[in-house]
Amino acid sequence: MTAQRSPRPLSDLAPDELDELLASTREDYEALRTKGLALDVTRGKPSAAQLDLSDALLRLPSTTTDRSGTDVRNYGGLAGLVEIREIFAELLGVDVPQLVAGGSSSLTLMRECLVDLLLFGGVDSPRPWKDEESITFVCPVPGYDRHFALLEELGISMVTVPMREDGPDAAAVAALVADDPGVKGMWLVPTYANPTGAVCSQEVAAELAAMPTAAPDFKIFWDNAYAVHHLGPDEAKSADLLGLAAASGHPHRPVMFASTSKITYAGAGVAFMASSTEQVAWYLEHLGKGSIGPDKVNHLRHAELFGDAEGVRAHMREHAAIIAPKFAEVERVLGERLGGLGVARWNSPTGGYFVSLDVVPGTASRVVELAKGVGVALTPAGASFPYGRDPQDENIRLAPTMPPLDEVREAMEVVATCVLLAAVEHATVGSGRDRPSGAADPGDQG
């Protein structure tokens, strides 16, 4: 890199200093274009090394029967194998009768629950949701794009509240749900949130569990996808929303989801749903019309792989050993390249799969465009907001888990250069003007 960045914020630089920095950063950018890079940090996928940790699954199960003597190859057992439910009930802090083990995708369980609520209403619903005048979900942002896409597909409107370090802005949520019976639910990734890494505190969870809602059947879709995905010894404990809601007189409010997608095999894991026993029975009643049982062979092989909850914890420490250095490298490169310039801020997660990067407002789309121009694919700007629209155009989700460490390093060098270039452009000639020749067309993010 030819540019020698100033230790001062861009806002402190004189016009001639900005011009000099713009020229040198463009040189850095053009040098990157000659490398022929083809790097991808768009999705939070496990790396091959992480998937290898579970290859013992390919030799399991060692038997065809569960501990009761039931043949797992046959029909039945709609709620899933008890052995795997016991392991994850302990990890998720729920009782076994509250937990269902299903197929490989928790997102599928979320869709099934939403569709059942739309068609039939829940155990506490006065009518099917489809018969309401309107349906709206509260969405903390930045958040998970697949949650938003699912709501959009089903015609459910979305309103946003800020996601803070201790969870969503509970006062903002309470204000939205207090008077409008059409506000039927909210999403939340409570532990190591996607993408901010935030952890919902017990105090915030208690407010969400107890708040008055105009809808008697208000639901919190509690997507605890990263409950055991710690990056080091500082292990966050998930808030006990189910217990808090039951104690507050709203036992049917939470619907928890989780899976082993980033624990074992992403495409062949086990997904879980937990709620009140009444709501679990409601879910199974509808599920039973379209299923005679999940893949209990897969449940058994997972139960044998782990043995118990401590086996899962030990397995996740092996995952952390692989991916924690990648997160550390993101922190190092961004800190060395962008620290003190006032052009970006980012979180330092202690778990989960993402780093949330906020750049100069109005430049996130430009950063993604510039990165694509030198062969680095980033998640589209706005992906962490409903309808793909970040009102500030400032947030970019970084996913460093899948590439090898050296590729993470290279990708972050590109990101840092593009963030700085977009910021200096914005500070000098305005965003969208005087682009380097050969850069991708605006909005062409693939």
Side-chain angles (χ1 to χ4, degrees):
M1 294 294 168
T2 60
Q4 298 296 316
R5 70 169 178 83
S6 166
R8 294 179 292 152
L10 261 62
S11 58
D12 290 349
L13 300 184
D16 59 332
E17 292 175 305
L18 282 172
D19 289 341
E20 181 181 347
L21 183 58
L22 178 62
S24 61
T25 308
R26 281 181 173 166
E27 289 180 14
D28 291 343
Y29 181 81
E30 291 302 324
L32 291 170
R33 279 162 45 81
T34 66
K35 289 187 172 184
L37 299 174
L39 307 175
D40 189 331
V41 286
T42 58
R43 306 273 355 158
K45 295 181 180 180
S47 66
Q50 290 174 265
L51 298 173
D52 289 346
L53 297 174
S54 300
D55 277 352
L57 287 173
L58 301 176
R59 299 181 294 277
L60 296 172
S62 61
T63 180
T64 59
T65 59
D66 65 14
R67 67 185 179 212
S68 72
T70 301
D71 193 328
V72 297
R73 299 171 298 177
N74 218 326
Y75 291 127
L78 195 61
L81 195 74
V82 171
E83 286 93 321
I84 195 67
R85 290 163 62 206
E86 287 177 345
I87 292 171
F88 277 85
E90 178 178 337
L91 293 167
L92 296 170
V94 301
D95 296 331
V96 175
Q98 294 179 290
L99 188 67
V100 173
S104 63
S105 171
S106 58
L107 193 64
T108 299
L109 301 187
M110 296 173 209
R111 189 178 191 279
E112 287 177 342
C113 281
L114 273 173
V115 170
D116 287 346
L117 287 164
L118 286 167
L119 293 178
F120 311 111
V123 294
D124 48 359
S125 297
R127 64 190 67 84
W129 284 14
K130 66 180 175 59
D131 295 336
E132 301 286 356
E133 289 186 11
S134 64
I135 308 172
T136 299
F137 259 54
V138 179
C139 300
V141 292
Y144 181 29
D145 54 342
R146 293 194 185 275
H147 289 164
F148 307 148
L150 179 54
L151 294 179
E152 186 174 5
E153 181 191 47
L154 295 175
I156 298 173
S157 300
M158 292 173 267
V159 293
T160 64
V161 297
M163 188 69 172
R164 297 174 170 173
E165 289 185 5
D166 62 347
D169 184 335
V173 176
L176 289 169
V177 303
D179 300 317
D180 184 354
V183 181
K184 288 289 193 178
M186 70 175 290
W187 287 110
L188 183 57
V189 180
T191 311
Y192 307 130
N194 177 352
T196 67
V199 176
C200 183
S201 68
Q202 188 80 351
E203 293 74 20
V204 169
E207 292 185 62
L208 298 175
M211 65 187 179
T213 62
D217 52 352
F218 182 83
K219 304 298 175 196
I220 299 176
F221 274 37
W222 186 261
D223 184 1
N224 215 355
Y226 308 105
V228 296
H229 295 69
H230 316 295
L231 289 173
D234 183 14
E235 298 185 357
K237 180 176 174 57
S238 296
D240 178 20
L241 183 68
L242 271 66
L244 291 166
S248 300
H250 305 123
H252 313 312
R253 180 171 291 182
V255 189
M256 180 193 291
F257 303 93
S259 78
T260 70
S261 292
K262 293 180 174 67
I263 297 175
T264 56
Y265 287 164
V270 182
F272 302 94
M273 187 275 274
S275 189
S276 66
T277 53
E278 295 87 351
Q279 199 146 256
V280 165
W282 164 87
Y283 170 74
L284 292 176
E285 178 184 0
H286 295 298
L287 178 65
K289 304 301 189 296
S291 173
I292 311 177
D295 184 350
K296 298 184 298 299
V297 175
N298 193 35
H299 291 182
L300 183 57
R301 67 165 60 100
H302 275 78
E304 288 191 8
L305 176 71
F306 296 129
D308 54 23
E310 184 51 42
V312 178
R313 296 184 186 105
H315 188 80
M316 295 312 295
R317 287 192 286 271
E318 295 185 72
H319 276 271
I322 294 170
I323 66 174
K326 300 179 183 183
F327 282 87
E329 194 63 7
V330 173
E331 176 76 20
R332 184 193 68 79
V333 173
L334 295 182
E336 289 182 1
R337 294 288 312 283
L338 301 176
L341 294 178
V343 299
R345 61 185 185 276
W346 55 92
N347 64 322
S348 300
T350 57
Y353 258 58
F354 303 98
V355 174
S356 183
L357 174 66
D358 284 338
V359 298
V360 172
T363 68
S365 297
R366 176 65 172 147
V367 172
V368 173
E369 173 193 327
L370 287 167
K372 181 179 180 181
V374 295
V376 175
L378 300 178
T379 304
S384 297
F385 291 76
Y387 312 108
R389 296 195 294 266
D390 175 358
Q392 299 300 316
D393 189 25
E394 66 177 352
N395 183 257
I396 300 170
R397 185 184 70 199
L398 303 176
T401 55
M402 187 176 179
L405 183 60
D406 59 339
E407 291 187 8
V408 172
R409 182 180 302 115
E410 262 193 311
M412 290 307 106
E413 290 287 354
V414 169
V415 168
T417 298
C418 294
V419 168
L420 182 55
L421 179 54
V424 181
E425 286 179 348
H426 189 270
T428 54
V429 296
S431 181
R433 291 179 52 196
D434 201 18
R435 288 186 169 83
S437 61
D441 290 335
D444 181 16
Q445 297 167 357

